[in-house]
């Protein structure tokens, strides 16, 4: 798929860790409301690709376009602000703040963006309900099951209504039933809000929730729809 | 598995007698079920009739004459089309997929590309089943899950084979 009309795109990305190349001319694009699965064997560069696309790390060369921005040219502070306002993140192990309740965890991104506590918590409750975990809103991460914790992580990723959601093996630590429910809720919510989802996974059953998949091998990207590497 | 396509693929490296074809088939693909001579000769007759092979030489022997078969241009095209066309994903495909990979390697075609094409076809079907699960009732979900688990097993095999292509190439070309 061409980057035309894409929300986020990358061209000719190169990134090496020491002498080891992680990305070697990788290309990528995702459109609004589209779920793209990023697949590939361990160590192929898929997490590095996600980190470059999300502006977490800067590639050695190449461009990452998001709206009018080239993320590779923004300062750390600018990229950090963009991540807070426009991007949402879900990782394999929730990475919730252990000292905060489920509700406070979900409200946190809104609070960091300057929302008042009451309003942030009102919106957070809406997402907890949607993710079917409102009943545990007062509990801390240590008191939650893996499935509940991951749903709260998804709620936290969605609460700011991000335009792009980055999910790195979001169900890797869950059993089949919980994993499927989390994926259904995540992709439904993303489509409802026209958010794009970049879904890194090595599981085909997870990738089956996407609209299309790309495969990363040796730092290069193959778009399975276009058949090009 | 298509025995006709497999024998055609084996002929691409050079003309062979029926007996040599059977031996090559058994060595690569007949671990559990060696090919019967009758199958070889009936298949070759059909391929001959369809213009996909031709008799390259006839050698007199103690018994019946021995025919040496060669693949025609139409036969090469037929093999190429078969290898490039993804199989309809269904349970127990592995013998056909394995045969296609080995033949692609033996005939210096792009086996990785063939595996990717098949992989995309499997995932396309998995997407359809996942979508059906979203809107289906409980029975529908269980039926789709059964198909999804089978397809997932095939896909894992495709990925593992893709990662081991170099080693497989060494083995089959030895």
């Amino acid at each position: 798929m061409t980057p035309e009309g894409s929300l986020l795109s990358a061209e000719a990305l190169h990134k090496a860790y020491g002498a080891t190349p992680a990305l070697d001319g990788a290309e990528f694009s995702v459109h609004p409301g589209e779920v793209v699965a990023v697949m590939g064997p361990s160590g192929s560069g898929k997490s590095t690709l996600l980190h470059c696309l999300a502006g977490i790390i800067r590639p050695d060369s190449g461009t990452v376009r998001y709206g009018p921005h080239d993320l590779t040219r923004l300062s750390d502070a600018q990229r950090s602000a963009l991540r807070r306002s426009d991007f949402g993140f879900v990782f394999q192990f929730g990475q919730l703040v252990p000292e905060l309740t489920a509700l406070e965890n979900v409200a946190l991104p809104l609070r960091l963006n300057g929302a008042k506590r009451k309003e942030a918590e009102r919106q957070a409750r809406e997402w907890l309900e949607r993710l079917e975990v409102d009943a545990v809103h007062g509990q801390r991460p240590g008191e939650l099951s893996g499935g509940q914790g991951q749903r709260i992580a998804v709620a936290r990723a969605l609460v700011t209504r991000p335009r792009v959601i980055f999910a790195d093996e979001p169900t890797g630590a869950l059993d089949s039933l919980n994993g499927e429910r989390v994926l259904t809720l995540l992709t439904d919510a993303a489509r409802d809000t026209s958010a794009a989802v970049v879904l890194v996974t090595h599981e085909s059953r997870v990738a089956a929730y996407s609209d299309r998949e790309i495969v990363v091998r040796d730092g290069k990207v193959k778009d399975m729809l276009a058949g090009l590497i | 598995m298509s025995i006709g396509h497999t024998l055609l693929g084996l002929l691409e490296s050079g003309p062979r007698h029926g007996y040599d074809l059977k031996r090559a088939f058994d060595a690569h693909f007949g671990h559990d079920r060696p090919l019967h001579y009758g199958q070889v000769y009936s298949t070759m007759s059909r391929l001959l009739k369809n213009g996909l092979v031709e008799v390259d030489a006839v050698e007199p022997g103690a018994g019946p004459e021995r025919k040496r078969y060669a693949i025609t241009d139409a036969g090469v095209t037929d093999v190429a089309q078969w290898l490039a066309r993804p199989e309809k994903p269904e349970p127990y495909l592995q013998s056909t997929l394995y045969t296609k990979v080995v033949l692609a390697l033996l005939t210096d075609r792009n086996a990785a590309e063939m595996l990717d094409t098949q992989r995309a076809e499997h995932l396309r079907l998995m997407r359809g089943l996942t979508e059906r699960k979203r809107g289906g009732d409980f029975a529908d979900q269980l039926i789709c899950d059964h198909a999804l688990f089978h397809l997932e097993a095939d896909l894992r095999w495709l990925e593992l084979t893709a990662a081991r292509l170099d080693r497989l190439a060494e083995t089959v070309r030895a």
Side-chain angles (χ1 to χ4, degrees), chain B residues 2 12 26 47 57 71 82 91 94 101 107 111 113 116 118 120 122 130 145 165 168:
Chain B
S2 165
E12 270 207 58
D26 289 350
L47 297 176
I71 191 166
W82 179 62
Q94 72 275 29
V101 174
T107 55
E113 191 62 40
D116 272 350
Q118 188 63 53
H122 267 65
T130 303
D145 272 335
L165 269 183
L168 183 61

Side-chain angles (χ1 to χ4, degrees), chain B residues 18-44:
Chain B
Y19 176 71
D20 291 336
L21 272 174
K22 177 198 154 36
R23 271 207 322 199
F25 183 97
D26 289 350
H28 289 299
F29 314 112
H31 311 297
D32 302 325
R33 279 185 307 179
L35 206 56
H36 294 294
Y37 284 111
Q39 280 176 289
V40 178
Y41 292 111
S42 62
T43 306
M44 295 319 289

Side-chain angles (χ1 to χ4, degrees), chain A residues 176-198:
Chain A
S176 291
L177 276 180
N178 265 301
E180 291 197 6
R181 192 71 194 134
V182 166
L183 282 168
T184 301
L185 293 167
L186 170 65
T187 51
D188 281 353
R191 286 183 176 123
D192 287 352
T193 56
S194 290
V197 180
V198 182

